[in-house]
Amino acid sequence: MKKAKTMKLSLPPEEYMNSGHLACQGCGATLAMRYALKALGQKTALCIPACCWSVIDGPFPYSSLEVPIFHCAFETAASSASGLKAGLEMVGDTETTVVAWAGDGGTFDIGIQALSGAAERNDNIIYVCYDNEAYMNTGIQRSSATPYGAWTTTTPVKHFKDRPKKDIVAIMAAHHIPYVATASVGYPEDLIKKVKKAKSFIGTKFLHIYAPCPTGWKSRPEDTVKLARLVVQTAIFPLYEIEHGEKYILNIKLREKKPINDYLRLQGRFRHLKEEEIAFMQKNVDINWAKLLKKCENV
């Protein structure tokens, strides 16, 4: 008698995100939400400010998610989550995980004061920034998460962004909160593990999730996961954790980094760059990677 073949799942089978959402084809932000909710479970409440996900969720009174959502003002994701958590605790609910779920514009720029305040108080929330590196919901405008060299509608080809991406992870680590981590939708097992780990800490937790945007990046929808893996393999966006602002843990060690051009050439937003500009970017990636390795060695 032949032994029945079984398949072992590497991701939780539960689904808390339904079909019928309003995302663009190949949207990395939808993958981020789907994986995060698998780790968070049913007893979760989301605070979502103005961002792609305030539209993706669906028109009122419908929702594509199986958890409650509080839609809040652009700058108030963290403060709304802090207030919601306090309110739940006042009525005796200590089990529900409250998550601020915001894009890079609502995190790096417009919402950073509320985020910093919540982190300084060490409010018991999880803050997730799904990063597509521009204000995609309002027309692909530059944010401080937009990387050097990128085209956006406010940094056109002749005047592409000439400043580096803000290091939001370092900013959050400087608050000495219990847990900070980077994740990518190209590595779902790692992402889910980190969301579960964030739940285990008391205090403010910050997750920076890399989420490609085919519309804003001028990339093919079918390349979303490929890009989300290449950005890690080129060390442009390393996967690591920081506990209490001091303990650095590198999650994926690269034996050999791929050249950043493997990543850049798949996106129209970098098509205008010259060889010397790409070489400048490669040099900075190498410098930042070396710095990160040194921090991880000291653990």
Side-chain angles (χ1 to χ4, degrees):
M1 186 175 178
K2 287 185 178 180
K3 190 176 180 180
K5 291 183 179 180
T6 58
M7 182 174 67
K8 187 177 180 181
L9 298 175
S10 61
L11 304 179
E14 296 83 11
E15 295 287 356
Y16 300 103
M17 190 177 96
N18 300 312
S19 59
H21 59 72
L22 303 180
C24 301
Q25 216 174 12
C27 173
T30 55
L31 290 174
M33 179 67 83
R34 183 186 176 200
Y35 297 148
L37 287 179
K38 281 177 174 287
L40 290 164
Q42 188 83 61
K43 288 194 173 182
T44 302
L46 299 172
C47 291
I48 303 179
C51 62
C52 288
W53 251 105
S54 63
V55 176
I56 291 171
D57 177 52
F60 180 83
Y62 304 104
S63 172
S64 59
L65 302 181
E66 296 285 349
V67 298
I69 300 168
F70 179 66
H71 288 281
C72 54
F74 214 155
E75 70 277 14
T76 66
S79 53
S80 295
S82 295
L84 179 56
K85 182 63 177 176
L88 288 170
E89 289 179 346
M90 287 185 73
V91 296
D93 182 351
T94 58
E95 294 183 359
T96 300
T97 302
V98 177
V99 180
W101 184 274
D104 51 280
T107 302
F108 285 62
D109 301 335
I110 293 172
I112 196 167
Q113 52 84 21
L115 173 57
S116 180
E120 190 276 327
R121 294 187 301 270
N122 201 28
D123 292 336
N124 191 21
I125 62 170
I126 297 176
Y127 191 108
V128 176
C129 172
Y130 67 93
D131 184 5
N132 50 32
E133 300 189 320
Y135 288 87
M136 299 305 182
N137 184 37
T138 54
I140 320 172
Q141 297 92 351
R142 166 208 200 275
S143 79
S144 59
T146 304
Y148 170 90
W151 164 91
T152 69
T153 54
T154 52
T155 53
V157 169
K158 290 184 179 180
H159 304 282
F160 62 79
K161 193 188 175 194
D162 61 358
R163 292 289 297 157
K165 179 173 181 147
K166 184 186 288 184
D167 192 348
I168 194 69
V169 172
I171 291 170
M172 295 313 299
H175 288 75
H176 289 269
I177 56 177
Y179 188 66
V180 178
T182 64
S184 171
V185 297
Y187 292 86
E189 292 86 359
D190 175 78
L191 190 159
I192 289 171
K193 182 180 178 181
K194 285 170 177 172
V195 176
K196 287 182 176 180
K197 188 172 180 178
K199 277 186 69 175
S200 71
F201 286 95
I202 302 297
T204 305
K205 291 78 62 175
F206 180 82
L207 294 168
H208 183 193
I209 302 179
Y210 183 86
C213 172
T215 304
W217 294 9
K218 299 183 179 181
S219 60
R220 301 188 306 171
E222 59 266 35
D223 283 339
T224 292
V225 172
K226 185 176 183 179
L227 286 166
R229 292 183 69 83
L230 274 173
V231 77
V232 175
Q233 294 162 359
T234 55
I236 293 172
F237 190 88
L239 299 184
Y240 62 105
E241 303 163 274
I242 310 170
E243 295 180 6
H244 304 288
E246 296 179 356
K247 183 180 179 182
Y248 282 71
I249 304 165
L250 185 64
N251 304 119
I252 294 186
K253 298 176 182 178
L254 303 175
R255 292 182 180 179
E256 186 177 341
K257 301 197 311 296
K258 291 186 177 182
I260 65 167
N261 203 39
D262 288 2
Y263 167 80
L264 299 179
R265 64 184 173 80
L266 296 177
Q267 303 167 69
R269 63 175 178 158
F270 294 115
R271 200 164 290 148
H272 55 276
L273 294 178
K274 298 174 183 176
E275 286 186 18
E276 57 266 30
E277 291 157 349
I278 295 173
F280 173 75
M281 293 170 71
Q282 181 70 68
K283 182 180 177 181
N284 284 323
V285 167
D286 294 342
I287 290 170
N288 291 332
W289 176 248
K291 287 179 180 177
L292 178 61
L293 290 179
K294 195 168 183 179
K295 289 176 182 177
C296 293
E297 284 173 3
N298 294 330
V299 174

PDB file of all heavy atoms in Angstrom, residues 57-88:
ATOM      1  N   ASP A  57      -8.786  48.400   1.302  1.00  0.00           N
ATOM      2  CA  ASP A  57      -9.729  47.678   2.165  1.00  0.00           C
ATOM      3  C   ASP A  57     -11.118  47.554   1.557  1.00  0.00           C
ATOM      4  O   ASP A  57     -11.811  46.559   1.753  1.00  0.00           O
ATOM      5  CB  ASP A  57      -9.808  48.387   3.526  1.00  0.00           C
ATOM      6  CG  ASP A  57     -10.822  47.750   4.440  1.00  0.00           C
ATOM      7  OD1 ASP A  57     -10.757  46.526   4.618  1.00  0.00           O
ATOM      8  OD2 ASP A  57     -11.678  48.462   4.975  1.00  0.00           O
ATOM      9  N   GLY A  58     -11.537  48.570   0.785  1.00  0.00           N
ATOM     10  CA  GLY A  58     -12.853  48.518   0.151  1.00  0.00           C
ATOM     11  C   GLY A  58     -13.736  49.665   0.599  1.00  0.00           C
ATOM     12  O   GLY A  58     -13.504  50.287   1.633  1.00  0.00           O
ATOM     13  N   PRO A  59     -14.786  49.963  -0.174  1.00  0.00           N
ATOM     14  CA  PRO A  59     -15.677  51.086   0.156  1.00  0.00           C
ATOM     15  C   PRO A  59     -16.624  50.745   1.296  1.00  0.00           C
ATOM     16  O   PRO A  59     -17.137  49.630   1.385  1.00  0.00           O
ATOM     17  CB  PRO A  59     -16.445  51.311  -1.151  1.00  0.00           C
ATOM     18  CG  PRO A  59     -16.481  49.952  -1.796  1.00  0.00           C
ATOM     19  CD  PRO A  59     -15.182  49.287  -1.428  1.00  0.00           C
ATOM     20  N   PHE A  60     -16.833  51.703   2.191  1.00  0.00           N
ATOM     21  CA  PHE A  60     -17.797  51.531   3.291  1.00  0.00           C
ATOM     22  C   PHE A  60     -19.173  51.168   2.721  1.00  0.00           C
ATOM     23  O   PHE A  60     -19.579  51.740   1.705  1.00  0.00           O
ATOM     24  CB  PHE A  60     -17.885  52.844   4.086  1.00  0.00           C
ATOM     25  CG  PHE A  60     -18.839  52.792   5.243  1.00  0.00           C
ATOM     26  CD1 PHE A  60     -18.449  52.258   6.458  1.00  0.00           C
ATOM     27  CD2 PHE A  60     -20.136  53.246   5.099  1.00  0.00           C
ATOM     28  CE1 PHE A  60     -19.342  52.192   7.519  1.00  0.00           C
ATOM     29  CE2 PHE A  60     -21.045  53.183   6.151  1.00  0.00           C
ATOM     30  CZ  PHE A  60     -20.641  52.654   7.364  1.00  0.00           C
ATOM     31  N   PRO A  61     -19.874  50.225   3.298  1.00  0.00           N
ATOM     32  CA  PRO A  61     -19.624  49.531   4.571  1.00  0.00           C
ATOM     33  C   PRO A  61     -18.914  48.194   4.414  1.00  0.00           C
ATOM     34  O   PRO A  61     -18.993  47.349   5.303  1.00  0.00           O
ATOM     35  CB  PRO A  61     -21.040  49.330   5.107  1.00  0.00           C
ATOM     36  CG  PRO A  61     -21.842  49.034   3.856  1.00  0.00           C
ATOM     37  CD  PRO A  61     -21.232  49.895   2.774  1.00  0.00           C
ATOM     38  N   TYR A  62     -18.243  47.989   3.286  1.00  0.00           N
ATOM     39  CA  TYR A  62     -17.603  46.699   3.043  1.00  0.00           C
ATOM     40  C   TYR A  62     -16.131  46.731   3.456  1.00  0.00           C
ATOM     41  O   TYR A  62     -15.503  47.780   3.502  1.00  0.00           O
ATOM     42  CB  TYR A  62     -17.721  46.324   1.562  1.00  0.00           C
ATOM     43  CG  TYR A  62     -19.141  46.312   1.067  1.00  0.00           C
ATOM     44  CD1 TYR A  62     -19.629  47.353   0.280  1.00  0.00           C
ATOM     45  CD2 TYR A  62     -20.014  45.269   1.406  1.00  0.00           C
ATOM     46  CE1 TYR A  62     -20.944  47.356  -0.163  1.00  0.00           C
ATOM     47  CE2 TYR A  62     -21.327  45.270   0.963  1.00  0.00           C
ATOM     48  CZ  TYR A  62     -21.789  46.313   0.180  1.00  0.00           C
ATOM     49  OH  TYR A  62     -23.082  46.320  -0.250  1.00  0.00           O
ATOM     50  N   SER A  63     -15.605  45.555   3.746  1.00  0.00           N
ATOM     51  CA  SER A  63     -14.186  45.428   4.102  1.00  0.00           C
ATOM     52  C   SER A  63     -13.667  44.090   3.610  1.00  0.00           C
ATOM     53  O   SER A  63     -14.378  43.083   3.660  1.00  0.00           O
ATOM     54  CB  SER A  63     -14.001  45.538   5.615  1.00  0.00           C
ATOM     55  OG  SER A  63     -12.663  45.231   5.980  1.00  0.00           O
ATOM     56  N   SER A  64     -12.423  44.075   3.147  1.00  0.00           N
ATOM     57  CA  SER A  64     -11.812  42.829   2.693  1.00  0.00           C
ATOM     58  C   SER A  64     -11.123  42.088   3.829  1.00  0.00           C
ATOM     59  O   SER A  64     -10.586  41.000   3.626  1.00  0.00           O
ATOM     60  CB  SER A  64     -10.799  43.123   1.576  1.00  0.00           C
ATOM     61  OG  SER A  64      -9.794  44.008   2.037  1.00  0.00           O
ATOM     62  N   LEU A  65     -11.122  42.682   5.032  1.00  0.00           N
ATOM     63  CA  LEU A  65     -10.412  42.090   6.166  1.00  0.00           C
ATOM     64  C   LEU A  65     -11.393  41.539   7.205  1.00  0.00           C
ATOM     65  O   LEU A  65     -12.501  42.051   7.367  1.00  0.00           O
ATOM     66  CB  LEU A  65      -9.497  43.128   6.818  1.00  0.00           C
ATOM     67  CG  LEU A  65      -8.444  43.764   5.904  1.00  0.00           C
ATOM     68  CD1 LEU A  65      -7.597  44.754   6.683  1.00  0.00           C
ATOM     69  CD2 LEU A  65      -7.573  42.713   5.234  1.00  0.00           C
ATOM     70  N   GLU A  66     -10.931  40.530   7.935  1.00  0.00           N
ATOM     71  CA  GLU A  66     -11.758  39.867   8.946  1.00  0.00           C
ATOM     72  C   GLU A  66     -11.487  40.404  10.352  1.00  0.00           C
ATOM     73  O   GLU A  66     -11.815  39.756  11.343  1.00  0.00           O
ATOM     74  CB  GLU A  66     -11.497  38.356   8.916  1.00  0.00           C
ATOM     75  CG  GLU A  66     -11.895  37.669   7.625  1.00  0.00           C
ATOM     76  CD  GLU A  66     -13.400  37.490   7.486  1.00  0.00           C
ATOM     77  OE1 GLU A  66     -14.117  37.704   8.487  1.00  0.00           O
ATOM     78  OE2 GLU A  66     -13.851  37.139   6.379  1.00  0.00           O
ATOM     79  N   VAL A  67     -10.869  41.579  10.442  1.00  0.00           N
ATOM     80  CA  VAL A  67     -10.596  42.192  11.740  1.00  0.00           C
ATOM     81  C   VAL A  67     -11.123  43.626  11.731  1.00  0.00           C
ATOM     82  O   VAL A  67     -11.264  44.231  10.663  1.00  0.00           O
ATOM     83  CB  VAL A  67      -9.079  42.188  12.069  1.00  0.00           C
ATOM     84  CG1 VAL A  67      -8.548  40.763  12.152  1.00  0.00           C
ATOM     85  CG2 VAL A  67      -8.291  42.999  11.033  1.00  0.00           C
ATOM     86  N   PRO A  68     -11.421  44.199  12.909  1.00  0.00           N
ATOM     87  CA  PRO A  68     -11.916  45.575  12.952  1.00  0.00           C
ATOM     88  C   PRO A  68     -10.862  46.590  12.526  1.00  0.00           C
ATOM     89  O   PRO A  68      -9.671  46.407  12.784  1.00  0.00           O
ATOM     90  CB  PRO A  68     -12.290  45.784  14.426  1.00  0.00           C
ATOM     91  CG  PRO A  68     -12.014  44.524  15.139  1.00  0.00           C
ATOM     92  CD  PRO A  68     -11.362  43.570  14.218  1.00  0.00           C
ATOM     93  N   ILE A  69     -11.323  47.639  11.870  1.00  0.00           N
ATOM     94  CA  ILE A  69     -10.425  48.691  11.371  1.00  0.00           C
ATOM     95  C   ILE A  69     -10.936  50.053  11.839  1.00  0.00           C
ATOM     96  O   ILE A  69     -12.132  50.344  11.747  1.00  0.00           O
ATOM     97  CB  ILE A  69     -10.356  48.694   9.834  1.00  0.00           C
ATOM     98  CG1 ILE A  69      -9.841  47.353   9.309  1.00  0.00           C
ATOM     99  CG2 ILE A  69      -9.461  49.826   9.330  1.00  0.00           C
ATOM    100  CD1 ILE A  69     -10.028  47.195   7.814  1.00  0.00           C
ATOM    101  N   PHE A  70     -10.013  50.860  12.324  1.00  0.00           N
ATOM    102  CA  PHE A  70     -10.323  52.249  12.662  1.00  0.00           C
ATOM    103  C   PHE A  70      -9.560  53.131  11.687  1.00  0.00           C
ATOM    104  O   PHE A  70      -8.339  53.199  11.726  1.00  0.00           O
ATOM    105  CB  PHE A  70      -9.900  52.554  14.106  1.00  0.00           C
ATOM    106  CG  PHE A  70     -10.154  53.982  14.525  1.00  0.00           C
ATOM    107  CD1 PHE A  70     -11.445  54.462  14.628  1.00  0.00           C
ATOM    108  CD2 PHE A  70      -9.104  54.830  14.825  1.00  0.00           C
ATOM    109  CE1 PHE A  70     -11.690  55.777  15.015  1.00  0.00           C
ATOM    110  CE2 PHE A  70      -9.339  56.150  15.204  1.00  0.00           C
ATOM    111  CZ  PHE A  70     -10.628  56.617  15.302  1.00  0.00           C
ATOM    112  N   HIS A  71     -10.282  53.750  10.758  1.00  0.00           N
ATOM    113  CA  HIS A  71      -9.645  54.647   9.794  1.00  0.00           C
ATOM    114  C   HIS A  71      -9.420  56.000  10.471  1.00  0.00           C
ATOM    115  O   HIS A  71     -10.369  56.617  10.968  1.00  0.00           O
ATOM    116  CB  HIS A  71     -10.515  54.801   8.547  1.00  0.00           C
ATOM    117  CG  HIS A  71     -10.547  53.578   7.689  1.00  0.00           C
ATOM    118  ND1 HIS A  71      -9.530  53.250   6.819  1.00  0.00           N
ATOM    119  CD2 HIS A  71     -11.468  52.586   7.583  1.00  0.00           C
ATOM    120  CE1 HIS A  71      -9.833  52.120   6.196  1.00  0.00           C
ATOM    121  NE2 HIS A  71     -10.995  51.699   6.638  1.00  0.00           N
ATOM    122  N   CYS A  72      -8.178  56.446  10.479  1.00  0.00           N
ATOM    123  CA  CYS A  72      -7.837  57.665  11.216  1.00  0.00           C
ATOM    124  C   CYS A  72      -7.123  58.674  10.303  1.00  0.00           C
ATOM    125  O   CYS A  72      -6.825  58.379   9.147  1.00  0.00           O
ATOM    126  CB  CYS A  72      -6.958  57.324  12.422  1.00  0.00           C
ATOM    127  SG  CYS A  72      -5.471  56.381  12.041  1.00  0.00           S
ATOM    128  N   ALA A  73      -6.854  59.852  10.838  1.00  0.00           N
ATOM    129  CA  ALA A  73      -6.201  60.910  10.067  1.00  0.00           C
ATOM    130  C   ALA A  73      -4.764  60.533   9.717  1.00  0.00           C
ATOM    131  O   ALA A  73      -4.131  59.698  10.388  1.00  0.00           O
ATOM    132  CB  ALA A  73      -6.219  62.213  10.857  1.00  0.00           C
ATOM    133  N   PHE A  74      -4.262  61.157   8.676  1.00  0.00           N
ATOM    134  CA  PHE A  74      -2.954  60.829   8.110  1.00  0.00           C
ATOM    135  C   PHE A  74      -1.842  60.774   9.161  1.00  0.00           C
ATOM    136  O   PHE A  74      -1.008  59.872   9.179  1.00  0.00           O
ATOM    137  CB  PHE A  74      -2.598  61.877   7.046  1.00  0.00           C
ATOM    138  CG  PHE A  74      -1.798  61.335   5.887  1.00  0.00           C
ATOM    139  CD1 PHE A  74      -1.852  61.985   4.656  1.00  0.00           C
ATOM    140  CD2 PHE A  74      -1.003  60.212   6.004  1.00  0.00           C
ATOM    141  CE1 PHE A  74      -1.123  61.513   3.561  1.00  0.00           C
ATOM    142  CE2 PHE A  74      -0.284  59.732   4.916  1.00  0.00           C
ATOM    143  CZ  PHE A  74      -0.344  60.380   3.694  1.00  0.00           C
ATOM    144  N   GLU A  75      -1.836  61.761  10.062  1.00  0.00           N
ATOM    145  CA  GLU A  75      -0.723  61.902  11.004  1.00  0.00           C
ATOM    146  C   GLU A  75      -0.935  61.152  12.317  1.00  0.00           C
ATOM    147  O   GLU A  75      -0.093  61.220  13.214  1.00  0.00           O
ATOM    148  CB  GLU A  75      -0.486  63.392  11.304  1.00  0.00           C
ATOM    149  CG  GLU A  75      -1.556  64.071  12.130  1.00  0.00           C
ATOM    150  CD  GLU A  75      -2.758  64.536  11.336  1.00  0.00           C
ATOM    151  OE1 GLU A  75      -2.923  64.116  10.172  1.00  0.00           O
ATOM    152  OE2 GLU A  75      -3.549  65.333  11.900  1.00  0.00           O
ATOM    153  N   THR A  76      -2.027  60.389  12.442  1.00  0.00           N
ATOM    154  CA  THR A  76      -2.414  59.887  13.766  1.00  0.00           C
ATOM    155  C   THR A  76      -2.407  58.368  13.932  1.00  0.00           C
ATOM    156  O   THR A  76      -3.020  57.845  14.860  1.00  0.00           O
ATOM    157  CB  THR A  76      -3.818  60.395  14.138  1.00  0.00           C
ATOM    158  OG1 THR A  76      -4.776  59.813  13.247  1.00  0.00           O
ATOM    159  CG2 THR A  76      -3.900  61.906  14.084  1.00  0.00           C
ATOM    160  N   ALA A  77      -1.724  57.646  13.085  1.00  0.00           N
ATOM    161  CA  ALA A  77      -1.749  56.178  13.190  1.00  0.00           C
ATOM    162  C   ALA A  77      -1.297  55.710  14.565  1.00  0.00           C
ATOM    163  O   ALA A  77      -1.977  54.907  15.222  1.00  0.00           O
ATOM    164  CB  ALA A  77      -0.878  55.550  12.105  1.00  0.00           C
ATOM    165  N   ALA A  78      -0.144  56.200  15.027  1.00  0.00           N
ATOM    166  CA  ALA A  78       0.409  55.750  16.309  1.00  0.00           C
ATOM    167  C   ALA A  78      -0.426  56.228  17.491  1.00  0.00           C
ATOM    168  O   ALA A  78      -0.706  55.455  18.421  1.00  0.00           O
ATOM    169  CB  ALA A  78       1.853  56.237  16.452  1.00  0.00           C
ATOM    170  N   SER A  79      -0.839  57.496  17.476  1.00  0.00           N
ATOM    171  CA  SER A  79      -1.625  58.023  18.603  1.00  0.00           C
ATOM    172  C   SER A  79      -3.009  57.382  18.658  1.00  0.00           C
ATOM    173  O   SER A  79      -3.542  57.119  19.742  1.00  0.00           O
ATOM    174  CB  SER A  79      -1.735  59.552  18.530  1.00  0.00           C
ATOM    175  OG  SER A  79      -2.228  59.963  17.276  1.00  0.00           O
ATOM    176  N   SER A  80      -3.594  57.092  17.495  1.00  0.00           N
ATOM    177  CA  SER A  80      -4.890  56.412  17.467  1.00  0.00           C
ATOM    178  C   SER A  80      -4.763  54.997  18.030  1.00  0.00           C
ATOM    179  O   SER A  80      -5.617  54.539  18.798  1.00  0.00           O
ATOM    180  CB  SER A  80      -5.434  56.350  16.039  1.00  0.00           C
ATOM    181  OG  SER A  80      -5.713  57.639  15.552  1.00  0.00           O
ATOM    182  N   ALA A  81      -3.683  54.303  17.649  1.00  0.00           N
ATOM    183  CA  ALA A  81      -3.449  52.954  18.157  1.00  0.00           C
ATOM    184  C   ALA A  81      -3.218  52.974  19.665  1.00  0.00           C
ATOM    185  O   ALA A  81      -3.727  52.116  20.399  1.00  0.00           O
ATOM    186  CB  ALA A  81      -2.256  52.326  17.439  1.00  0.00           C
ATOM    187  N   SER A  82      -2.472  53.965  20.143  1.00  0.00           N
ATOM    188  CA  SER A  82      -2.230  54.094  21.586  1.00  0.00           C
ATOM    189  C   SER A  82      -3.544  54.308  22.334  1.00  0.00           C
ATOM    190  O   SER A  82      -3.792  53.702  23.381  1.00  0.00           O
ATOM    191  CB  SER A  82      -1.280  55.265  21.863  1.00  0.00           C
ATOM    192  OG  SER A  82      -0.004  55.028  21.317  1.00  0.00           O
ATOM    193  N   GLY A  83      -4.390  55.179  21.800  1.00  0.00           N
ATOM    194  CA  GLY A  83      -5.680  55.453  22.432  1.00  0.00           C
ATOM    195  C   GLY A  83      -6.603  54.251  22.402  1.00  0.00           C
ATOM    196  O   GLY A  83      -7.295  53.952  23.384  1.00  0.00           O
ATOM    197  N   LEU A  84      -6.622  53.547  21.281  1.00  0.00           N
ATOM    198  CA  LEU A  84      -7.464  52.356  21.158  1.00  0.00           C
ATOM    199  C   LEU A  84      -7.027  51.279  22.145  1.00  0.00           C
ATOM    200  O   LEU A  84      -7.858  50.643  22.808  1.00  0.00           O
ATOM    201  CB  LEU A  84      -7.404  51.825  19.722  1.00  0.00           C
ATOM    202  CG  LEU A  84      -8.220  50.570  19.425  1.00  0.00           C
ATOM    203  CD1 LEU A  84      -9.693  50.754  19.788  1.00  0.00           C
ATOM    204  CD2 LEU A  84      -8.077  50.177  17.950  1.00  0.00           C
ATOM    205  N   LYS A  85      -5.707  51.084  22.262  1.00  0.00           N
ATOM    206  CA  LYS A  85      -5.187  50.090  23.207  1.00  0.00           C
ATOM    207  C   LYS A  85      -5.570  50.457  24.644  1.00  0.00           C
ATOM    208  O   LYS A  85      -6.011  49.599  25.422  1.00  0.00           O
ATOM    209  CB  LYS A  85      -3.670  49.985  23.076  1.00  0.00           C
ATOM    210  CG  LYS A  85      -3.026  48.933  23.981  1.00  0.00           C
ATOM    211  CD  LYS A  85      -3.509  47.530  23.646  1.00  0.00           C
ATOM    212  CE  LYS A  85      -2.807  46.484  24.495  1.00  0.00           C
ATOM    213  NZ  LYS A  85      -3.333  45.116  24.245  1.00  0.00           N
ATOM    214  N   ALA A  86      -5.429  51.728  24.996  1.00  0.00           N
ATOM    215  CA  ALA A  86      -5.789  52.186  26.346  1.00  0.00           C
ATOM    216  C   ALA A  86      -7.286  51.982  26.613  1.00  0.00           C
ATOM    217  O   ALA A  86      -7.685  51.550  27.697  1.00  0.00           O
ATOM    218  CB  ALA A  86      -5.416  53.653  26.517  1.00  0.00           C
ATOM    219  N   GLY A  87      -8.101  52.283  25.600  1.00  0.00           N
ATOM    220  CA  GLY A  87      -9.543  52.115  25.756  1.00  0.00           C
ATOM    221  C   GLY A  87      -9.937  50.659  25.950  1.00  0.00           C
ATOM    222  O   GLY A  87     -10.791  50.332  26.793  1.00  0.00           O
ATOM    223  N   LEU A  88      -9.336  49.765  25.185  1.00  0.00           N
ATOM    224  CA  LEU A  88      -9.627  48.336  25.317  1.00  0.00           C
ATOM    225  C   LEU A  88      -9.251  47.824  26.705  1.00  0.00           C
ATOM    226  O   LEU A  88      -9.988  47.043  27.321  1.00  0.00           O
ATOM    227  CB  LEU A  88      -8.877  47.542  24.240  1.00  0.00           C
ATOM    228  CG  LEU A  88      -9.402  47.694  22.811  1.00  0.00           C
ATOM    229  CD1 LEU A  88      -8.436  47.051  21.816  1.00  0.00           C
ATOM    230  CD2 LEU A  88     -10.786  47.078  22.663  1.00  0.00           C
TER     231      LEU A  88
END
